[in-house]
Amino acid sequence: MDTRLRRFSTNGMTKFLAFAIVVLALAAVVVQIQYAEYINGNVESLIVDNYIDSEEFYYGQVQNSLFRVSRAIEEGEELEGTSDCIYFAADKEKTFGNTIWSEREYYEQYDQTFYYLEDGEWQAGKNTNPLTYNPGIDDTEAMAYVAFTDEYMAEKQVEWEANRAVLKPLALRIAASVSLALLLIAYLIWATGRKPDDRELHMAKIDSVYSDVLLALFLPAIGAWVVSIGEFAFLRNRLFDGLGMNEVFSMALAGGATVVAVTVCGVLLLSLVRKLKAGKLLKHSLIFVAFAASYDFFKSLFDGRRFKGNTHTQSLFKRQWAFIVASAAMVFLTFVFLFSGVVPLMALPPILEILIIYWFIKGNNKTFVEINKGFDDSLGERMKAERMKIALVTNVSHDLKTPLTSMVSYVDLLSKEDDLPDSARDYVQILSEKTNRLKNIVSDLFDLAKSTSGDISMEMEKIDIKKLIEQTIGDMSDEIEKSGLKMKTKLPENQVMIFSDGKKLYRVFQNIIDNALKYSLEGSRVFVELEEADGFAVATVKNTASYEIDYTADEMLQRFSRGDKSRSTEGSGLGLSIAESFTKVCGGNMKVIVDGDLFKVSVSFQMDE
Amino acid sequence: MDKAGILVVDDDREIAGAIEKLLESEGFQVQKAYDGKEALEALVSGGIQLILMDVMMPRLDGLSATLKIRESRNIPIIILSAKSEDSDKILGLSMGADDYVTKPFNPDELVARVKSQLRRYMLLGDMGNGSKANQIAIGGLLLDLDAKQLTVDGEPVHLTAKEFQILEFLMKHAGMVFSAEKIYERVWKEKPYSVENTVMVHIRRIREKIEINPKEPNYLKVVWGIGYKIEKI
């Protein structure tokens, strides 16, 4: 039952009908009031039973008559115009009256409507309603009697009751129309936005208009109605009371205008009601939205949202500018208010400034947190990637070495077979060479991966780099001799102490010199020098390339890049990469310089003194 | 020394097989085990004079097996591992292994190391641990100061006079590091001037004579940037 009632009450048709009834009822009210006006109906007759007690009689007849009589005595002549009373008035010189009677008893017989002038003051008769206003005169000698005849009062009373008979149903109808309209308006306020199918609040198209615009639209609607009612209501024939062509026409126009006005106002009102129900009456207003937008715009200048597309540092820089400019503007405004004498307004800029400082600091903090987070994240990512790399390298290294061990072993066994044909022996020889090279590459790759990932155990101590270079050259003397190159050394007399890992540094120089031996022009010289410069020990190995160097120093250091692109010679091609990586973990710095055919590798370490 | 029994322990059957062939061709008797547990079992039956032990194996790994064996036996153990870090080697040797060979190994070097360990094991059995007066023994090195004679694992090795003097000096102070200048002063009895290369070349020569793999010496080591020493074994 409840749901059925709800279904009916939220039905669109029901609502439309209710709305139409409200419109018609209100139009009817207007028209009926107009009609009452046209028939000169006095509303007082509905409340006051007897004409004699009415204000119509008191103000319209009594007061008027007493005033006229008073004036007549003072002016010495009767006033023009009419009055429905009978009276007699006299002073020392003259008498007035509109009856033949001058005796008080005559007038006093109408004891409910008898008034007399005594000592310059008007008095009401014994049974007469008292006076509220006394238009008395200065002449205390003057006397007067005023009364309304019973016949007159009876006639008026009949008229009074006839008027009431006409007005009473009219008033009831108006009251009924108004109550119906109010009831339905209450219903519509409840029902608007609801639909039978769900419990959601449904907005209409007009609800997208801002609240304050809707509110403002009431003004022209009501204004136009008032103006048109004013126009139409006076289209009447004043010569007689009642309805003529003019009056009916004017009533139709007024009714029409009311229909239009009520429809427009009703639509506006219901829209506002829906917005109120949705809780966005204030939020969805032009003033609020405009204020919020400008507030947000200014805020975004300082808290960084305005500069979202920029990098963090750019954003901070721009915000700083916005902050400085705004702060300067606030100071300027304060002085403007001070000198223009609008002293109370001086409080405004400091308050705004506090707001700006708050936004600025909060936004900055947020950015700093973001920068830190980004930094930590990337650091964490890198650490993770490196750890994964190490794990991968360790696993891959083991997985490569195990089959390689079998290969090396079986190739060796094969080479020891006695009854191999010569061709097979050649093949085995090649296999042997290649497996050995593979062995070197895997070993070098492993070393490189470990050192670049930083996962390498170091034994740092104070060592003499000069001695280390000499030892390395001594260690490699066989290879140097075999290469046919001349090794020229230029080393300082004294020891050059640095803090490093000797074993790894030996690998560094071994690889650099090895590289020089492999790729030098036949019969040329290789220069090995050590210098002390600005607290740094700089070791340099220079050689003349046996080929045209057609790539840059950087490419030279790239893993696997090789002096000869054909890659036919033995070696892993990782020598210089390992040297550079090891130099780094040993705390030094390695540079490769290519100048024509001159190839120069320099390794520098801070001296330890 | 011939027909010495060798236990090869490796979970990779091909590698174990290859080592078996290699050692058999050198006249050894080879037994195989595929993990640490099998190795311990094989050892019980006896007839084994040396063990080649892989590290990463199922059930019982090589290092644990080595530790277990060392509880009761001092039979030579050579660890064979794909792990090539210095720290791995130090760990292996500290577990009681006598030598450490990284995979992939050079077959000839492996054979040489096996022979070296076996000889040393046998010799120790012959002469006990005592060296005579005027003899210095370090690992497989035995320097006879009277005869001016060096033997490595029992094999005589010919050294020049300077080489002998250098070795004598270093072996007398085993474990200590000496600079080239110091060595030169003591051996050449001259004021050292730019002698690094001279000493280094001698050191290298000696290494070639006493080390199985001169690139990875067991005895005579270069302390890069500082000097030279004989490892105290």
Side-chain angles (χ1 to χ4, degrees):
Chain A
M1 192 63 205
D2 190 38
T3 46
R4 258 170 88 188
L5 178 65
R6 195 182 174 278
R7 284 196 79 79
F8 171 75
S9 63
T10 52
N11 191 294
M13 188 51 92
T14 317
K15 284 190 274 186
F16 178 78
L17 274 176
F19 191 88
I21 292 170
V22 168
V23 170
L24 291 177
L26 288 179
V29 168
V30 169
V31 170
Q32 286 177 105
I33 289 172
Q34 209 178 355
Y35 173 70
E37 176 71 23
Y38 288 163
I39 59 172
N40 250 351
N42 192 327
V43 184
E44 201 186 357
S45 65
L46 289 172
I47 313 157
V48 182
D49 282 347
N50 297 312
Y51 176 70
I52 195 167
D53 297 324
S54 73
E55 290 191 356
E56 166 94 359
F57 172 62
Y58 179 75
Y59 290 111
Q61 295 296 330
V62 177
Q63 292 272 22
N64 186 27
S65 301
L66 299 187
F67 181 75
R68 291 171 60 86
V69 172
S70 293
R71 289 283 87 75
I73 296 168
E74 282 182 333
E75 307 291 329
E77 57 183 294
E78 226 175 316
L79 288 176
E80 289 191 7
T82 55
S83 179
D84 298 332
C85 64
I86 52 171
Y87 75 96
F88 171 79
D91 62 4
K92 280 178 219 148
E93 288 111 37
K94 52 199 183 289
T95 61
F96 311 95
N98 56 1
T99 62
I100 54 167
W101 304 99
S102 59
E103 291 84 6
R104 177 182 173 125
E105 287 77 22
Y106 175 77
Y107 298 96
E108 212 169 5
Q109 69 176 314
Y110 307 112
D111 62 342
Q112 287 187 320
T113 57
F114 174 67
Y115 309 91
Y116 59 95
L117 186 68
E118 208 174 65
D119 297 332
E121 299 255 315
W122 282 100
Q123 303 288 339
K126 202 164 54 196
N127 293 326
T128 310
N129 289 335
L131 292 169
T132 56
Y133 164 73
N134 205 322
I137 55 173
D138 296 335
D139 185 359
T140 53
E141 303 289 306
M143 46 82 64
Y145 311 116
V146 172
F148 294 89
T149 62
D150 288 347
E151 296 77 24
Y152 172 79
M153 290 310 286
E155 188 189 322
K156 278 290 182 187
Q157 180 64 24
V158 171
E159 241 178 66
W160 190 246
E161 277 166 17
N163 189 27
R164 172 160 53 219
V166 176
L167 278 186
K168 203 166 186 175
L170 202 59
L172 282 177
R173 278 203 299 276
I174 289 172
S177 299
V178 169
S179 341
L180 180 67
L182 286 177
L183 204 69
L184 287 175
I185 285 170
Y187 153 71
L188 280 171
I189 284 174
W190 172 82
T192 189
R194 298 178 199 268
K195 283 192 175 169
D197 298 328
D198 55 38
R199 303 238 157 212
E200 306 289 306
L201 190 69
H202 297 269
M203 306 302 279
K205 265 188 191 141
I206 191 174
D207 300 346
S208 55
V209 178
Y210 290 118
S211 306
D212 36 10
V213 175
L214 287 176
L215 214 56
L217 283 176
F218 273 109
L219 232 74
I222 292 172
W225 179 75
V226 167
V227 169
S228 57
I229 289 293
E231 289 288 320
F232 304 144
F234 296 108
L235 279 176
R236 67 175 288 198
N237 193 335
R238 290 192 174 271
L239 291 179
F240 69 101
D241 294 342
L243 296 182
M245 268 307 288
N246 269 338
E247 283 75 17
V248 173
F249 182 61
S250 130
M251 275 159 69
L253 283 178
T258 309
V259 166
V260 171
V262 170
T263 304
V264 170
C265 289
V267 166
L268 293 176
L269 176 76
L270 289 179
S271 175
L272 287 174
V273 166
R274 279 191 298 273
K275 295 178 84 160
L276 184 67
K277 281 181 181 179
K280 54 182 193 178
L281 185 68
L282 283 180
K283 271 187 193 162
H284 191 252
S285 69
L286 197 58
I287 293 169
F288 187 89
V289 167
F291 180 77
S294 52
Y295 175 87
D296 195 61
F297 173 80
F298 282 112
K299 193 180 169 197
S300 73
L301 278 177
F302 303 108
D303 68 10
R305 279 175 299 127
R306 189 99 221 123
F307 312 112
K308 234 174 197 161
N310 294 290
T311 61
H312 283 311
T313 43
Q314 274 176 331
S315 167
L316 281 174
F317 176 73
K318 287 181 183 171
R319 270 184 266 166
Q320 240 158 33
W321 269 110
F323 178 71
I324 291 166
V325 170
S327 299
M330 288 306 139
V331 171
F332 177 72
L333 268 180
T334 309
F335 279 103
V336 166
F337 289 142
L338 178 66
F339 291 120
S340 61
V342 206
V343 178
L345 275 177
M346 270 174 63
L348 201 62
I351 290 168
L352 283 175
E353 180 64 22
I354 288 168
L355 203 60
I356 288 169
I357 290 171
Y358 174 72
W359 290 335
F360 182 65
I361 289 174
K362 217 177 157 203
N364 279 2
N365 274 343
K366 210 176 129 208
T367 306
F368 291 143
V369 166
E370 271 169 26
I371 289 173
N372 268 337
K373 193 175 169 294
F375 188 70
D376 286 349
D377 281 357
S378 72
L379 207 67
E381 290 279 308
R382 264 208 351 234
M383 297 274 283
K384 206 174 133 196
E386 287 299 341
R387 272 200 298 276
M388 276 179 65
K389 209 165 87 183
I390 292 163
L392 189 74
V393 164
T394 310
N395 291 336
V396 167
S397 162
H398 181 258
D399 291 351
L400 286 174
K401 280 174 178 176
T402 304
L404 203 53
T405 307
S406 284
M407 283 162 68
V408 170
S409 306
Y410 283 100
V411 166
D412 181 69
L413 286 175
L414 200 56
S415 69
K416 282 173 183 157
E417 290 287 326
D418 292 328
D419 47 358
L420 280 185
D422 282 351
S423 57
R425 201 160 285 286
D426 285 349
Y427 304 155
V428 171
Q429 182 58 34
I430 292 168
L431 278 177
S432 171
E433 278 166 16
K434 296 304 159 188
T435 45
N436 266 327
R437 188 170 158 212
L438 195 55
K439 200 170 104 179
N440 290 337
I441 293 174
V442 169
S443 166
D444 280 359
L445 257 181
F446 189 58
D447 286 342
L448 185 61
K450 290 222 93 170
S451 65
T452 50
S453 64
D455 178 53
I456 191 165
S457 58
M458 302 295 295
E459 286 171 43
M460 302 293 277
E461 56 189 332
K462 218 172 150 177
I463 55 172
D464 180 1
I465 188 171
K466 176 202 164 203
K467 183 168 283 185
L468 190 136
I469 291 170
E470 286 174 333
Q471 283 177 322
T472 310
I473 292 170
D475 189 56
M476 298 179 77
S477 56
D478 273 2
E479 286 102 313
I480 294 168
E481 212 166 297
K482 232 188 285 168
S483 70
L485 299 167
K486 288 187 194 79
M487 184 70 64
K488 293 278 172 188
T489 55
K490 197 171 126 196
L491 306 171
E493 304 242 326
N494 303 323
Q495 56 182 20
V496 182
M497 302 306 287
I498 62 167
F499 191 70
S500 191
D501 182 323
K503 212 167 169 184
K504 299 209 166 53
L505 204 51
Y506 158 67
R507 278 291 297 277
V508 171
F509 284 107
Q510 190 193 26
N511 282 359
I512 294 172
I513 293 171
D514 194 51
N515 187 72
L517 295 182
K518 266 186 202 145
Y519 303 114
S520 281
L521 192 65
E522 216 173 305
S524 65
R525 278 173 286 272
V526 175
F527 294 87
V528 179
E529 292 169 8
L530 180 66
E531 286 170 338
E532 296 170 47
D534 301 332
F536 280 87
V538 184
T540 316
V541 176
K542 285 185 279 194
N543 68 300
T544 312
S546 57
Y547 55 93
E548 192 184 332
I549 302 171
D550 54 358
Y551 26 83
T552 65
D554 270 347
E555 282 170 337
M556 207 73 203
L557 283 178
Q558 294 302 307
R559 295 156 199 194
F560 280 110
S561 87
R562 290 268 301 274
D564 55 336
K565 277 184 171 169
S566 64
R567 301 192 166 193
S568 58
T569 49
E570 61 182 289
S572 63
L574 292 170
L576 284 186
S577 299
I578 291 176
E580 194 211 13
S581 184
F582 273 31
T583 306
K584 240 181 231 163
V585 294
C586 285
N589 192 20
M590 186 175 126
K591 259 193 313 198
V592 172
I593 296 155
V594 173
D595 186 2
D597 281 348
L598 182 71
F599 190 77
K600 191 168 138 187
V601 181
S602 73
V603 176
S604 62
F605 277 88
Q606 188 153 29
M607 282 166 61
D608 186 272
E609 219 63 60
Chain B
M1 180 169 145
D2 277 358
K3 290 289 175 189
I6 295 174
L7 179 63
V8 177
V9 191
D10 199 317
D11 61 328
D12 187 310
R13 281 157 198 261
E14 282 74 31
I15 293 178
I19 296 171
E20 181 186 23
K21 294 264 158 32
L22 183 69
L23 293 177
E24 274 174 0
S25 72
E26 295 288 332
F28 296 106
Q29 275 192 332
V30 177
Q31 289 185 48
K32 287 181 287 182
Y34 298 120
D35 61 54
K37 278 228 158 65
E38 281 183 36
L40 293 180
E41 285 158 17
L43 214 51
V44 174
S45 55
I48 289 164
Q49 275 81 44
L50 186 141
I51 303 170
L52 282 172
M53 182 80 80
D54 185 23
V55 172
M56 288 199 268
M57 286 186 298
R59 299 221 286 172
L60 185 66
D61 69 82
L63 293 180
S64 307
T66 303
L67 212 55
K68 264 236 147 47
I69 293 165
R70 274 286 171 267
E71 284 173 6
S72 54
R73 311 275 302 261
N74 71 347
I75 180 173
I77 299 175
I78 300 173
I79 286 183
L80 255 181
S81 172
K83 290 185 166 182
S84 56
E85 294 285 285
D86 282 351
S87 54
D88 298 323
K89 290 181 190 172
I90 290 165
L91 184 66
L93 294 176
S94 69
M95 290 286 171
D98 298 275
D99 206 350
Y100 193 102
V101 178
T102 55
K103 288 180 185 174
F105 51 83
N106 180 327
D108 295 339
E109 188 188 330
L110 182 69
V111 170
R113 285 183 187 272
V114 166
K115 283 181 178 170
S116 159
Q117 288 298 333
L118 273 176
R119 270 202 298 266
R120 204 183 304 171
Y121 185 54
M122 305 294 181
L123 279 176
L124 282 174
D126 281 354
M127 6 177 255
N129 210 6
S131 49
K132 292 172 201 162
N134 272 342
Q135 280 190 345
I136 308 168
I138 289 171
L141 300 181
L142 186 67
L143 199 67
D144 190 327
L145 298 176
D146 293 335
K148 302 277 178 208
Q149 173 75 41
L150 171 75
T151 54
V152 179
D153 300 325
E155 303 270 305
V157 171
H158 176 73
L159 293 176
T160 66
K162 286 277 182 282
E163 286 166 2
F164 190 88
Q165 280 173 301
I166 292 171
L167 199 58
E168 181 189 339
F169 174 60
L170 291 177
M171 280 177 78
K172 270 182 179 163
H173 306 93
M176 286 174 70
V177 182
F178 294 97
S179 67
E181 288 80 9
K182 197 92 187 163
I183 294 169
Y184 193 85
E185 253 177 23
R186 294 299 291 264
V187 173
W188 274 265
K189 314 257 194 270
E190 281 173 33
K191 215 172 161 36
Y193 181 75
S194 201
V195 294
E196 195 70 53
N197 197 51
T198 315
V199 174
M200 184 70 213
V201 170
H202 278 84
I203 294 286
R204 206 165 44 81
R205 297 259 161 75
I206 299 169
R207 277 211 302 220
E208 275 160 16
K209 288 174 182 174
I210 66 170
E211 302 283 358
I212 293 166
N213 182 356
K215 297 257 176 230
E216 285 179 43
N218 277 345
Y219 302 114
L220 183 47
K221 292 195 173 163
V222 179
V223 184
W224 298 101
I226 298 174
Y228 311 88
K229 69 168 175 180
I230 283 279
E231 202 72 72
K232 200 174 192 169
I233 297 173

